[in-house]
Amino acid sequence: MVPSRCRPGRGPRATPGPINNCGLQLVIQTSSITDKSKPFEFRINKEQSSFHNRLLQHDLEKNYSGRQDNTNFGSSSSITLPVLQRTAEEKILNSDRLNLERQKLTVCPVIDGEDHLRLLNFQHNFITRIQNISNLQHLVFLDLYDNQIEEISGLSTLRSLRVLLLGKNRIKKISNLDNLKNLDVLDLHGNQITKIENISHLSELRVLNLARNLLTIVENLNGLDSLTELNLRHNQVSAIKDVDTLPCLQRLFLSFNNISSFEDILCLADSSSLSDITLDGNPIAQETWYKHTVLHHMMQLRQLDMKRITEEERRMASVAARKEEERKRESHRQTLLKEKKRLTICNIAHQWEIQQNRIALVASLNQDKDNEPCQINGSAAYVFPEESRSLDTILSSAVQGLSVLDSHLVEVEGDSLCLYGAGALECLDRNWSVQTAGMIVTVSFMYIEFDEIVQVLTKLKIKFPNSVHLKFKETNLVTLQQFNALAQMHRLEQLTVDPQGNPVVNFTLWKYYVLFRLNHFNLQKINGVKVTENDVVMAERLFGILAYATSSEVPRYRMLSLFGESRRKQFQYLLEGKGKKSGTGSEESSDNSRNGGESSTRATLSYTTKDFHMEKLEEIKERKTFCQTYVENLVKEAADINMKNELLQKLWPQMFIELVRDAVIEIRNKNSYMKLCLQRITDQKQ
């Protein structure tokens, strides 16, 4: 084999390189290149290996794994361009194939006179840029695996290219593939690509390898109508889009990414062609429901994580998926109930706020009526009814959007009964089961007027005999006197009064008053704080005289009305003096403690609700009106009688004279008078 040389007269002499075992000689040309007649032998098997089993090697490495190309390139500083030349014999034997792997190439050499090449291999070199191959317009297979290419370029004329292998390079962006519309295999694994783009025109593409890149989202896959295999292993993918639009996709490899929930890959369930998928190495694969959920939503799968799916696994997945769906539905239902509860409580709170603002406004207006108008800059300032009505309208419109919600809420949580809004008190009229009613220990009242609560305390102790803990929040507990109403409970061990909406807790001594007034209950805790013996003693010292003073001022009939029949007899016995021996008072107290009843003196500290008080006032007013009318009628009648009597006294003398005169006239003629009398008697008998 004769080394190639430059023809005489055509420029400076080229430096010949060593000849490899295929008869190839590369010439490093410093000027023009003229000799193009050295052929080169290269064989390749036409069968393609599986893509995910190193498609990037293809059959090039299989047929030439034992061969070493000894091609060398000069290192002279004057080298500008390598030129490839083959002998005529080698061109005839391997006219369409050329292998240049592991040649330490930094640039693509000029391949002149090889326009018929169809397969070209540049694996394992140091090439940084794709160039000098634009004349190879019949090229079908181009392998640039394991180089240092940073940008896809120089391929616009290769319209016949079907396989492009650019794995293990430094490419950061997919670009310049516009003219490669016949591309069948595109390998870009092991690069630095962050986004899938500029490939929607590759309608003939069947295999796409983007493994070991920097992808976070799988998108922009529309238009890849022929894609059957997509490799996305070892990326940072957390969400997948557009995969369901690929009509031919069969194999999808997503191992070792950041997929953490099935919602991230939900579009895969809509793919009818997908048969093989791998998700191992993702956070989702660690979940207990992973396999069952995937198989349930992707019934068409044949393999999952490279393992064939059996019918038993499908059946188990279907059962588990149904259970999971039921669990999710129940969870969703509970979430809806919680949200409805939250909105209802918000609505109740808004209505409560409006009600309190109305009460405050009415009180303010009433107070303004009783006072003189204040002077502002020398003029009187009044609050007109129109202003109050407009404010009321504003407050009502504030919750217009919530008016469709319930205005009250009844909720049983464990051993607690929670009542929100005044309408919730109607639940005490329900037919509660014995088991549920007996289970209730704590009753909470929220956004309810305390006076309305007082009216149902009797029902409460009957319906829930085991209730021993009352809670009040936003109930308008304002005065100490209101605590007197709690004495009618059957039992009470704990009392909780929230400062919100209950101004009474601002009184320093309110707890001591509660302990004193409800002493017969032996309270254990108030607002979560345990009651001590010292607290009870202090309460007795502070308010004991109050009960004594109250009971001494209450009339006897009123005292009797406060007690039951047995207590009434006991009190009557005390009033008669039969029990006024020494020690009687202490005995009474001890009896009350044993019987769980309140003492006589404390019983006089009662509470009358506003409504009841108003009813009493109305009743008193009616009685007063009746009495006034009755007395007025009596006075009028007496006055009439007196007036008639006075008139009679004035007329009587004249009347008497006339009576005497008439009598004398009648008896003047005795016979005529007798006949007249007899005639009158006869007439009366008839």
Side-chain angles (χ1 to χ4, degrees):
M1 195 176 295
V2 181
S4 172
R5 290 178 173 81
C6 293
R7 295 182 180 180
R10 295 295 181 91
R13 183 170 181 171
T15 303
I19 302 173
N20 63 13
N21 55 359
C22 293
L24 169 67
Q25 182 174 2
L26 289 175
V27 178
I28 308 306
Q29 183 75 24
T30 58
S31 61
S32 61
I33 302 169
T34 56
D35 193 354
K36 307 174 184 177
S37 59
K38 302 294 188 254
F40 167 70
E41 179 184 12
F42 181 76
R43 293 188 178 91
I44 184 168
N45 190 342
K46 294 183 180 180
E47 295 181 358
Q48 296 183 356
S49 64
S50 175
F51 177 73
H52 55 269
N53 293 323
R54 294 195 54 82
L55 175 64
L56 55 98
Q57 297 291 345
H58 217 265
D59 291 332
L60 295 173
E61 288 190 2
K62 287 186 177 180
N63 292 328
Y64 292 94
S65 59
R67 297 174 57 177
Q68 295 293 331
D69 291 325
N70 297 321
T71 307
N72 293 325
F73 298 92
S75 59
S76 172
S77 60
S78 62
I79 295 176
T80 59
L81 193 65
V83 179
L84 182 135
Q85 296 177 343
R86 293 194 297 177
T87 62
E89 293 82 359
E90 291 300 328
K91 282 187 178 183
I92 294 173
L93 292 175
N94 298 284
S95 61
D96 60 348
R97 301 168 189 177
L98 180 60
N99 181 13
L100 293 175
E101 76 172 286
R102 302 184 189 278
Q103 297 299 318
K104 301 181 180 180
L105 294 172
T106 58
V107 295
C108 296
V110 174
I111 305 175
D112 204 2
E114 302 280 356
D115 297 345
H116 52 280
L117 272 181
R118 301 184 70 239
L119 289 90
L120 180 59
N121 179 15
F122 282 115
Q123 280 191 30
H124 306 294
N125 283 289
F126 304 99
I127 298 172
T128 59
R129 183 182 175 188
I130 305 174
Q131 57 184 353
N132 301 328
I133 59 172
S134 58
N135 58 317
L136 306 177
Q137 297 184 9
H138 297 286
L139 197 64
V140 175
F141 187 103
L142 176 59
D143 190 350
L144 287 161
Y145 171 75
D146 190 18
N147 281 278
Q148 298 178 9
I149 299 170
E150 296 183 356
E151 181 183 7
I152 302 175
S153 60
L155 303 175
S156 58
T157 61
L158 307 182
R159 299 179 183 275
S160 300
L161 194 64
R162 299 296 301 272
V163 178
L164 177 60
L165 307 181
L166 290 169
K168 202 175 179 182
N169 278 280
R170 300 176 183 178
I171 300 170
K172 297 180 180 179
K173 182 178 180 180
I174 304 176
S175 60
N176 299 320
L177 299 176
D178 298 342
N179 294 334
L180 305 184
K181 295 182 179 180
N182 294 321
L183 205 59
D184 184 71
V185 176
L186 177 59
D187 180 13
L188 292 168
H189 85 278
N191 284 282
Q192 302 171 20
I193 298 170
T194 59
K195 183 179 181 180
I196 301 176
E197 56 186 338
N198 302 321
I199 59 172
S200 58
H201 62 286
L202 301 178
S203 58
E204 300 296 324
L205 190 66
R206 291 188 308 105
V207 179
L208 176 60
N209 187 357
L210 291 169
R212 297 186 184 278
N213 277 281
L214 303 175
L215 299 173
T216 57
I217 299 178
V218 179
E219 56 184 351
N220 300 327
L221 297 176
N222 296 320
L224 302 181
D225 297 337
S226 301
L227 192 66
T228 59
E229 184 172 310
L230 177 59
N231 189 348
L232 297 167
R233 286 189 178 104
H234 294 281
N235 276 277
Q236 301 171 15
V237 175
S238 58
I240 298 178
K241 302 177 183 178
D242 301 337
V243 173
D244 54 320
T245 64
L246 303 176
C248 299
L249 185 65
Q250 298 177 7
R251 294 174 295 279
L252 177 61
F253 305 103
L254 290 166
S255 305
F256 302 99
N257 280 283
N258 292 332
I259 300 170
S260 57
S261 67
F262 188 77
E263 285 70 20
D264 298 334
I265 56 173
L266 194 59
C267 66
L268 299 181
D270 298 328
S271 176
S272 59
S273 59
L274 193 61
S275 60
D276 298 348
I277 187 173
T278 63
L279 291 165
D280 53 304
N282 285 277
I284 190 177
Q286 306 300 320
E287 301 290 344
T288 55
W289 46 263
Y290 156 66
K291 189 171 185 179
H292 295 152
T293 302
V294 172
L295 293 183
H296 176 70
H297 287 87
M298 304 181 191
M299 299 298 293
Q300 76 280 10
L301 286 182
R302 294 199 305 265
Q303 287 192 153
L304 176 61
D305 297 334
M306 307 302 292
K307 296 179 182 178
R308 181 165 290 278
I309 300 168
T310 64
E311 290 302 320
E312 178 64 17
E313 287 176 328
R314 293 185 191 277
R315 189 186 67 80
M316 294 296 294
S318 179
V319 173
R322 281 197 299 269
K323 291 181 179 179
E324 181 66 20
E325 286 295 327
E326 291 176 0
R327 186 192 66 78
K328 287 183 177 180
R329 280 197 297 269
E330 179 62 21
S331 175
H332 181 63
R333 189 179 72 85
Q334 293 297 331
T335 302
L336 290 179
L337 289 176
K338 288 180 180 179
E339 181 64 15
K340 182 180 179 182
K341 173 187 173 182
R342 186 187 69 82
L343 292 175
T344 301
I345 293 175
C346 287
N347 184 36
I348 296 170
H350 278 285
Q351 292 181 357
W352 172 263
E353 184 179 358
I354 289 174
Q355 180 183 352
Q356 299 309 304
N357 289 335
R358 284 175 179 169
I359 294 172
L361 182 60
V362 171
S364 176
L365 291 175
N366 292 335
Q367 185 177 3
D368 289 343
K369 289 179 182 179
D370 298 335
N371 298 330
E372 291 293 326
C374 59
Q375 298 292 326
I376 302 177
N377 296 330
S379 62
Y382 293 90
V383 178
F384 293 98
E386 290 77 5
E387 295 182 6
S388 62
R389 285 198 298 271
S390 62
L391 177 60
D392 186 60
T393 304
I394 293 172
L395 294 173
S396 299
S397 63
V399 290
Q400 184 177 2
L402 294 173
S403 60
V404 295
L405 298 174
D406 295 333
S407 59
H408 65 274
L409 177 65
V410 179
E411 184 178 31
V412 177
E413 292 183 352
D415 61 353
S416 298
L417 173 65
C418 301
L419 305 177
Y420 300 85
L425 297 177
E426 298 176 0
C427 76
L428 298 178
D429 296 327
R430 294 181 186 173
N431 294 324
W432 292 81
S433 66
V434 177
Q435 182 180 1
T436 303
M439 181 178 61
I440 300 300
V441 175
T442 303
V443 181
S444 299
F445 301 95
M446 283 161 277
Y447 306 107
I448 308 174
E449 283 286 349
F450 184 80
D451 286 356
E452 297 183 16
I453 298 173
V454 171
Q455 299 174 16
V456 300
L457 287 178
T458 304
K459 294 181 182 178
L460 184 66
K461 69 179 182 181
I462 296 174
K463 287 285 186 181
F464 308 106
N466 296 326
S467 59
V468 294
H469 185 190
L470 296 183
K471 292 183 176 181
F472 299 93
K473 179 180 178 181
E474 291 285 2
T475 56
N476 267 348
L477 267 167
V478 179
T479 64
L480 296 176
Q481 186 184 10
Q482 291 174 295
F483 289 115
N484 298 338
L486 301 181
Q488 58 184 299
M489 289 293 294
H490 178 67
R491 292 169 56 195
L492 191 61
E493 296 178 0
Q494 294 188 53
L495 179 65
T496 302
V497 182
D498 196 294
Q500 185 176 346
N502 296 304
V504 72
V505 299
N506 295 326
F507 298 155
T508 306
L509 303 178
W510 78 273
K511 291 183 181 179
Y512 293 110
Y513 182 80
V514 170
L515 286 175
F516 169 76
R517 182 61 187 86
L518 307 179
N519 178 267
H520 58 290
F521 287 142
N522 293 324
L523 284 170
Q524 303 298 315
K525 290 183 179 180
I526 298 179
N527 276 14
V529 179
K530 189 174 182 180
V531 176
T532 64
E533 189 65 29
N534 292 334
D535 294 333
V536 177
V537 173
M538 179 61 70
E540 191 69 29
R541 287 179 181 177
L542 290 171
F543 297 102
I545 189 65
L546 175 64
Y548 175 76
T550 305
S551 61
S552 63
E553 295 296 329
V554 174
R556 178 178 176 180
Y557 78 90
R558 177 61 179 155
M559 288 286 290
L560 290 174
S561 67
L562 293 173
F563 308 119
E565 187 64 28
S566 60
R567 298 290 303 283
R568 193 176 293 120
K569 290 181 180 179
Q570 180 186 6
F571 185 70
Q572 186 71 25
Y573 180 79
L574 291 173
L575 290 177
E576 292 174 356
K578 297 179 181 179
K580 294 182 179 179
K581 299 179 182 179
S582 60
T584 303
S586 61
E587 290 175 5
E588 177 196 0
S589 178
S590 61
D591 290 342
N592 291 333
S593 298
R594 284 195 302 270
N595 298 330
E598 57 185 332
S599 66
S600 303
T601 55
R602 288 181 174 84
T604 59
L605 298 172
S606 60
Y607 173 65
T608 303
T609 64
K610 294 178 181 179
D611 293 339
F612 183 76
H613 183 65
M614 294 300 295
E615 290 177 2
K616 286 295 182 182
L617 290 178
E618 289 293 331
E619 183 180 351
I620 293 172
K621 186 177 179 180
E622 289 177 1
R623 289 181 180 180
K624 183 178 179 181
T625 303
F626 172 78
C627 292
Q628 185 176 357
T629 305
Y630 181 73
V631 171
E632 288 177 354
N633 291 334
L634 288 177
V635 170
K636 184 178 179 181
E637 185 177 352
D640 291 342
I641 293 172
N642 184 56
M643 184 180 64
K644 291 177 181 179
N645 186 38
E646 291 178 354
L647 292 174
L648 179 62
Q649 293 297 329
K650 292 179 180 180
L651 297 175
W652 175 248
Q654 182 65 30
M655 292 174 62
F656 182 75
I657 292 172
E658 291 179 357
L659 288 172
V660 172
R661 186 191 62 187
D662 292 341
V664 171
I665 293 172
E666 286 181 354
I667 66 175
R668 180 183 299 172
N669 188 349
K670 186 176 181 181
N671 293 328
S672 299
Y673 179 72
M674 290 178 66
K675 289 180 181 180
L676 180 62
C677 290
L678 289 173
Q679 184 64 37
R680 289 176 180 174
I681 293 171
T682 303
D683 294 339
Q684 288 178 358
K685 287 182 178 181
Q686 292 178 353

